[in-house]
Amino acid sequence: MKKIGKFLSSMPFAITLLVLLAAACAFSSTVSQGQAYEYYAAQYGERTAGLILALHLDDAFHSWWFIGLSVFLCLNLLCCNLIRLPGLLKRVRTFAKPDGTTASNATAEAEGTGDPHRLFAALHMPSVRESENGQLYATGNRAGFWGAWVCHLGILLLILGFALGQITMKQYTVYALPGQTKGMDDSGLQVTVDDLQILRAESGAVQQYTAELTVLDPVNHTEEKGTTGVNAPANLYGYKFFQNSVGWGADVRVLKNGQELQKEGLCVGEFFAISDKPELVIYFPAFYPDYSGEPKQSDPSLPVKDPAYLYQVYYQGQILGMNVLKAGEELTIDEYTVLFENPRNYTLLAVKRDVFTWLVLLGGLVTLAGLVMAFWLQPRAVCAVKEGENWHVFGRCQKGGVLFREEFLKAAAETGFTPCKSSDIEGDDA
Amino acid sequence: MLQAENTLFTIVVIGYFILTALNFAFVILKKDALAKVAFGIQTGIFLLHTAALVLRGIGAGHWPMTNQYEFATSFAWALCLVSLVFIRKYRFPVLGAFSSPLILLMIGYAAMQSREVKELMPSLRSSWLAFHVSTAIIAYGSFGVAFVLSLIFLFRGRIKGEGFWGQHIPQPEKLDMISYRSVCLGMLFLTLTILTGAIWAEQAWGSYWSWDPKETWSLVTWIIYAIYLHLRIRRGWRGKAAAWFAVIGFICVIFTYIGVNTFLPGIHSYA
Ligand code: HEM
């Protein structure tokens, strides 16, 4: 058991895991994610496609092996932090004691008749203590001992928050033309897009999409209203509504023998069936806001100049025809007349409830704090011992030995001390 | 405004060219005075470069780091800044000789990009953008300097005796420590970049992490430098092995920056 704990918390295991994780991420990024078998077969051939699916490389970041690696990393971090905690506490305590630093474990030492208080000041260590035997002593940056520990804790919180979020998160995609109401799957809520405003710069480029929403709870007969824009989500019923993207849509009218039969809003990519002849279906694959312009684009951010609607007609699942209708043009199928009008943008909303996002953010901030502590708070201790007429001064830095030694010896020289010997420059941080 | 930026940019490119030539002269002629001049010139170009970026920002009407050109020139600017700081702080003029070709390459890459100013798409209109890209260029600049320092470290191993190189390049322990300091700076800023990017993505798209290739590669880079940090802690691995990881890390940085846009699709494809 102890052996397993030791292995799980060991640094070689940590490095192996990190290398494997980096390699897994790098490799997976080269394989297009979330595609069907046919896509991979066309790209790489059937055998490789089979392998990709068997190894879950099509959804690598949710695969058993990726999650497994991450779980091991967490175990590794947890064991490492737990096992090292008592030793760390002891080290911090020892470091604070005057006899924790001796001439033999010092990073640099000097002697002379200078004033040790000036040396402490030059090293920015103002709070000097005096021990019972007259030794002067100061420590600095002791919080730095905790840097790696705090950083590891932050990473653990971050991964935990991410994992809990992935498991418990509710996510929906809703797209609707202004005026349309759509259901939000199993949430029981309904979303109405009351309005979609597009703010343009003078050049015509879109600066902001703003959608006015009403979310309805049909069971409790309550509603909440809000506005969502890009980079400014709305918060309604505990869900966040993100203005994710926009696309084209239009109203489609169907007349039967000249009498209006049906009128609906239809987004590009949608089908609709004629109400009294459901085997007759109209598909709306694309909309061109400026059909006479070159090249013909269906970009949803372009202003409407010369609208044209691409349609396909299906009868009992068989395609009957496909063509483009310009504004005012009609499509006639037997007694039915179909016309498209009032082209406008629909909004695509990403709706999300993830109650663990704060944990991820906290983890990130703790990691950041840990990094600052580990890198910029390097624990240091400096002692001065009276030996006859001379002061023997020595200092220890937990890390960054070479740089500390230089700094110490420079300060010592400036305050009337001369270096003793070439000091051990290895920090004892292994 | 943009016209002035254009002219200033050209002067800056020529400046970096002269700087590199001067640094070559310094290491070939082995004259310390040249290093002093080079440092002065680098400081001057840095100020001009800063002015060019400010003009670009005013002329374009947005934070000047939003397309490939702006990011490349900012990357060169950050390399210049971090190397200036390290040359001065550690009194290490040879670092300038090794870093100036890298800056020249980056500004050369910037010069090849389109300088057209485009309106920002709505998702890029966020105050997080400025934080996200600014922290990224400081991270990249620091990793660039760590890369150069690690190359010097690997090169240092071949030097015997005290000649010019022996005198001008610090002892391996110190060199390793300086390289470590630059990785620390880079790691802090890369963590900030990833965090601010995640916060922004959460606001703009409702997903703080989507395994988009650029995100994934920034994570790969982050992990590589984490490996570097842990290798350094183990005595036997400090030095050469760690230096190699700093080199690999910077290759990842460059791939994240240029390669991902070129070879892999994703939401970051605008920059
Ligand atoms: C992505 C994952 C990790 C990151 C970002 C990370 C980060 C860090 C950092 C920043 C340091 C301080 C290094 C320095 O001061 O130079 C550190 C030290 C350390 N890490 Fe990690 N770490 C990670 C994973 C791990 C794992 C899985 C282990 C498990 C054994 C581990 C064990 C250690 C140890 C033993 C130290 C030395 C601590 C000390 O000097 O007090 N790390 N880590």
Side-chain angles (χ1 to χ4, degrees):
Chain A
M1 198 62 201
K2 219 173 164 187
K3 255 190 169 164
I4 297 179
K6 202 157 181 195
F7 172 71
L8 277 180
S9 64
S10 76
M11 181 74 100
F13 184 49
I15 292 181
T16 314
L17 281 174
L18 290 175
V19 170
L20 287 176
L21 270 171
C25 290
F27 183 72
S28 306
S29 75
T30 62
V31 181
S32 191
Q33 298 288 293
Q35 305 286 350
Y37 172 80
E38 290 70 24
Y39 172 87
Y40 299 115
Q43 283 270 319
Y44 311 104
E46 291 192 357
R47 268 182 63 180
T48 316
L51 205 65
I52 287 177
L53 291 196
L55 294 177
H56 297 281
L57 280 168
D58 59 320
D59 190 18
F61 301 108
H62 301 104
S63 66
W64 58 268
W65 49 267
F66 192 81
I67 294 175
L69 275 178
S70 313
V71 168
F72 272 115
L73 184 76
C74 289
L75 272 179
N76 189 203
L77 274 167
L78 188 68
C79 292
C80 161
N81 258 15
L82 287 179
I83 288 180
R84 286 167 41 85
L85 188 57
L88 191 58
L89 282 168
K90 202 170 141 205
R91 248 165 65 182
V92 179
R93 259 187 248 126
T94 322
F95 205 76
K97 290 186 185 146
D99 53 1
T101 301
T102 60
S104 58
N105 70 13
T107 314
E109 54 177 320
E111 56 190 356
T113 52
D115 176 3
H117 286 281
R118 281 183 57 214
L119 174 67
F120 285 114
L123 290 168
H124 310 290
M125 300 170 93
S127 43
V128 183
R129 283 168 293 159
E130 190 170 347
S131 69
E132 285 161 11
N133 56 5
Q135 175 179 341
L136 299 178
Y137 183 76
T139 55
N141 294 345
R142 273 193 297 146
F145 275 114
W146 291 97
W149 200 89
V150 170
C151 175
H152 295 151
L153 177 71
I155 296 167
L156 270 173
L157 293 178
L158 195 148
I159 299 180
L160 186 72
F162 184 74
L164 289 174
Q166 293 280 308
I167 296 166
T168 60
M169 180 164 44
K170 286 272 179 203
Q171 242 177 333
Y172 308 96
T173 309
V174 179
Y175 62 94
L177 287 162
Q180 281 187 321
T181 300
K182 296 266 174 99
M184 243 166 66
D185 288 345
D186 59 356
S187 70
L189 298 175
Q190 290 178 342
V191 189
T192 306
V193 175
D194 299 318
D195 192 17
L196 175 66
Q197 293 285 338
I198 302 174
L199 179 72
R200 288 180 193 274
E202 267 173 34
S203 63
V206 176
Q207 290 185 317
Q208 177 63 293
Y209 296 100
T210 312
E212 302 288 340
L213 308 177
T214 303
V215 179
L216 199 85
D217 179 350
V219 178
N220 299 313
H221 304 287
T222 54
E223 63 172 41
E224 287 185 17
K225 282 181 178 290
T227 306
T228 177
V230 181
N231 284 312
N235 211 331
L236 303 168
Y237 282 108
Y239 287 92
K240 276 191 163 175
F241 289 76
F242 299 91
Q243 172 54 52
N244 191 297
S245 56
V246 294
W248 284 115
D251 287 332
V252 187
R253 277 173 59 203
V254 182
L255 312 180
K256 186 174 181 183
N257 299 322
Q259 296 292 316
E260 178 144 324
L261 176 71
Q262 198 175 351
K263 181 178 173 186
E264 339 196 329
L266 196 66
C267 300
V268 163
E270 284 185 327
F271 293 89
F272 91 103
I274 306 291
S275 56
D276 64 353
K277 199 173 193 179
E279 59 275 32
L280 187 61
V281 170
I282 309 287
Y283 176 48
F284 184 19
F287 172 76
Y288 303 100
D290 185 14
Y291 198 66
S292 49
E294 281 299 335
K296 294 186 190 2
Q297 289 177 1
S298 51
D299 186 340
S301 67
L302 293 175
V304 177
K305 280 190 186 150
D306 175 22
Y309 310 82
L310 183 67
Y311 68 85
Q312 289 175 350
V313 182
Y314 288 83
Y315 185 70
Q316 293 184 336
Q318 298 289 322
I319 188 159
L320 280 188
M322 162 171 162
N323 209 338
V324 169
L325 284 181
K326 306 243 300 189
E329 290 179 349
E330 299 173 348
L331 160 69
T332 309
I333 316 162
D334 301 334
E335 67 272 39
Y336 300 101
T337 307
V338 180
L339 44 100
F340 288 83
E341 59 192 18
N342 190 15
R344 57 202 190 278
N345 281 128
Y346 69 78
T347 167
L348 189 136
L349 303 167
V351 186
K352 186 171 113 169
R353 171 148 66 189
D354 177 357
V355 289
F356 290 103
T357 308
W358 66 271
L359 189 55
V360 179
L361 182 62
L362 177 71
L365 294 176
V366 172
T367 306
L368 208 58
L371 287 178
V372 173
M373 287 161 74
F375 297 154
W376 281 278
L377 296 181
Q378 306 199 337
R380 45 169 63 188
V382 173
C383 276
V385 181
K386 188 92 179 166
E387 290 174 356
E389 284 301 296
N390 278 354
W391 280 98
H392 183 187
V393 289
F394 42 88
R396 176 152 81 112
C397 181
Q398 202 58 19
K399 277 191 322 192
V402 205
L403 299 181
F404 174 73
R405 189 172 56 149
E406 279 188 4
E407 187 189 345
F408 180 90
L409 294 180
K410 186 164 167 262
E414 282 167 5
T415 50
F417 301 94
T418 43
C420 284
K421 58 161 193 179
S422 154
S423 321
D424 171 21
I425 47 156
E426 289 269 7
D428 53 350
D429 45 6
Chain B
M1 202 65 82
L2 287 173
Q3 190 55 43
E5 187 255 348
N6 234 341
T7 315
L8 214 49
F9 179 77
T10 312
I11 296 173
V12 167
V13 176
I14 297 170
Y16 283 125
F17 190 78
I18 294 172
L19 176 69
T20 309
L22 203 65
N23 271 317
F24 267 115
F26 158 55
V27 294
I28 289 169
L29 303 175
K30 304 186 173 36
K31 285 220 159 59
D32 286 347
L34 287 175
K36 285 212 175 90
V37 178
F39 186 80
I41 289 191
Q42 187 168 343
T43 312
I45 303 170
F46 173 74
L47 294 176
L48 288 179
H49 200 162
T50 310
L53 285 178
V54 171
L55 288 180
R56 174 80 187 186
I58 298 171
H62 57 236
W63 195 252
M65 298 174 192
T66 54
N67 62 20
Q68 202 75 347
Y69 161 70
E70 291 172 353
F71 198 87
T73 173
S74 306
F75 192 159
W77 176 86
L79 276 170
C80 183
L81 170 67
V82 180
S83 76
L84 270 177
V85 170
F86 275 70
I87 294 169
R88 198 181 152 78
K89 182 156 185 205
Y90 299 107
R91 276 172 254 108
F92 187 8
V94 168
L95 171 59
F98 280 79
S99 61
S100 53
L102 188 63
I103 307 176
L104 187 63
L105 272 178
M106 193 40 73
I107 201 82
Y109 177 73
M112 291 188 311
Q113 306 300 314
S114 156
R115 279 181 233 175
E116 190 190 350
V117 173
K118 280 198 180 147
E119 288 275 352
L120 293 187
M121 54 201 258
S123 57
L124 292 187
R125 292 171 179 274
S126 162
S127 29
W128 287 105
L129 167 96
F131 289 108
H132 180 58
V133 288
S134 309
T135 50
I137 60 137
I138 300 291
Y140 286 12
S142 311
F143 288 142
V145 168
F147 164 75
V148 171
L149 286 162
S150 299
L151 288 183
I152 300 177
F153 183 94
L154 295 168
F155 168 72
R156 178 82 170 80
R158 295 164 183 266
I159 298 167
K160 308 259 178 312
E162 274 292 287
F164 172 82
W165 295 111
Q167 280 176 2
H168 283 78
I169 301 181
Q171 290 298 316
E173 296 92 328
K174 183 168 175 191
L175 201 49
D176 170 70
M177 185 54 73
I178 303 175
S179 165
Y180 168 69
R181 298 313 302 164
S182 55
V183 170
C184 290
L185 193 65
M187 190 70 178
L188 177 75
F189 277 90
L190 181 60
T191 310
L192 272 169
T193 307
I194 296 178
L195 266 180
T196 49
I199 295 175
W200 179 19
E202 172 72 19
Q203 279 204 349
W205 293 285
S207 166
Y208 58 82
W209 192 264
S210 348
W211 298 106
D212 157 81
K214 200 141 192 149
E215 284 171 5
T216 307
W217 272 90
S218 67
L219 179 65
V220 171
T221 310
W222 192 77
I223 297 178
I224 299 280
Y225 284 107
I227 298 172
Y228 166 95
L229 291 172
H230 291 84
L231 285 180
R232 273 193 82 265
I233 295 168
R234 293 185 71 77
R235 243 158 245 211
W237 290 79
R238 182 178 293 192
K240 237 177 166 175
W244 276 113
F245 263 86
V247 172
I248 298 173
F250 191 63
I251 295 172
C252 286
V253 165
I254 295 293
F255 187 78
T256 310
Y257 168 43
I258 299 172
V260 169
N261 296 343
T262 317
F263 302 114
L264 311 168
I267 49 172
H268 273 91
S269 36
Y270 47 79

